[in-house]
Amino acid sequence: MDASSLPAALELVSGGGAGLSPEKRAVLGSSLLLLQRDYRFERVWFWGCIQGVCGAYYIAQGLGPDRAAPRSRLYSLNCVEWSLLPPVTEEMVTQAGRLKGRFQGDPSFEYEYTERNAEDAERLFEDGKEPMIKEEARLVATIEQIDRAVGIVPRGAFVKTPLGSVSENRNFEGLSLTEAKRLSSYFHFTEPVDLKNKTLLEKADLDPSTDFLDSLEHDIPQGSWTVQLEKGGTVVVLRSLLWLGLTFYHVPMTKQYGYVYFGNGEKNLDLPFML
């Protein structure tokens, strides 16, 4: 969610019980603006918080002119001092996916793999060292996994230019209440996968400037999202059951929308058995 509207946005997603104390909100309100100035970001989003055993990671994302370009990710342990996370790689995502258990809350903590594949065994044989991954790498990989799986935006909120860059749609005035209650009105804000597999006939009714992302309606498993009306029916809230703690909000007929994550950074692998 946008740092400039953080207090109001956190109030809109507080129905699930997660949130920040008034002290944390006040500190974040000022520190995120300083972060934007110091790193010269065009926009800063407060991504959320991953709770560890001994501490919590508060996450922010810095955006440039192209909103679909890789974002700069930063973390803080106290909401005041921010550290830049390394760029994520596919190897990091793969390695982090094999780790189980809670985060420790210490960026320098090193994990040992409980299960080794052939590549790990070969590396151990050559180097004589146990393969390890730092919690900092696991943190940025987990953020990437969550963004890919459940980072969403309303349909029409962003437009794709003929040159391929993505920016906010200045003409977006929000979804109607009827549209806001449908999963098909929300898109994954990441590189599309399903869209590339659609036939020309299926793409005929799509607007290439706004329908360039994957819709939520075909997410697997079916039923991994809940859609609710809150605040007297004035706010539509989507919650992910796959990554528990991810909450998205949208106020129909306005430009107010965003998502935030408050959780332990673990995927709900039992979801298919719960539906």
Side-chain angles (χ1 to χ4, degrees), residues 51 76 163 231 237 253:
Q51 186 68 45
S76 174
L163 297 177
K231 307 293 182 184
V237 175
M253 306 305 294

Side-chain angles (χ1 to χ4, degrees), residues 9-19 146 149-152 180-181 183 186 188 216 219 221-231 235-250 258-262 268 271 275:
L10 286 173
E11 194 65 38
L12 293 176
V13 299
S14 61
I146 294 174
V150 291
I152 60 176
K181 291 188 288 185
L183 282 179
Y186 301 96
H188 289 281
L216 264 63
D219 277 13
Q222 288 286 337
S224 61
W225 290 95
T226 65
V227 183
Q228 297 170 317
L229 290 176
E230 297 187 0
K231 307 293 182 184
V235 182
V236 178
V237 175
L238 278 69
R239 291 188 174 89
S240 172
L241 301 180
L242 186 62
W243 288 93
L244 296 171
L246 190 288
T247 307
F248 171 89
Y249 78 94
H250 175 49
Y259 68 86
V260 69
Y261 178 81
F262 289 103
N268 182 17
L271 178 60
L275 297 174

Side-chain angles (χ1 to χ4, degrees), residues 182-202:
R182 294 200 296 254
L183 282 179
S184 57
S185 299
Y186 301 96
F187 292 155
H188 289 281
F189 198 39
T190 187
E191 187 68 25
V193 177
D194 297 337
L195 187 66
K196 296 176 182 178
N197 299 325
K198 288 190 175 183
T199 64
L200 291 175
L201 186 61
E202 291 174 315

Side-chain angles (χ1 to χ4, degrees), residues 163-223:
L163 297 177
S165 62
V166 176
S167 59
E168 279 97 351
N169 184 1
R170 296 181 180 179
N171 297 320
F172 178 70
E173 296 296 334
L175 302 172
S176 68
L177 183 58
T178 304
E179 291 175 329
K181 291 188 288 185
R182 294 200 296 254
L183 282 179
S184 57
S185 299
Y186 301 96
F187 292 155
H188 289 281
F189 198 39
T190 187
E191 187 68 25
V193 177
D194 297 337
L195 187 66
K196 296 176 182 178
N197 299 325
K198 288 190 175 183
T199 64
L200 291 175
L201 186 61
E202 291 174 315
K203 293 180 180 179
D205 296 330
L206 302 180
D207 184 343
S209 65
T210 56
D211 300 320
F212 57 93
L213 300 168
D214 287 334
S215 169
L216 264 63
E217 62 179 334
H218 301 302
D219 277 13
I220 298 173
Q222 288 286 337

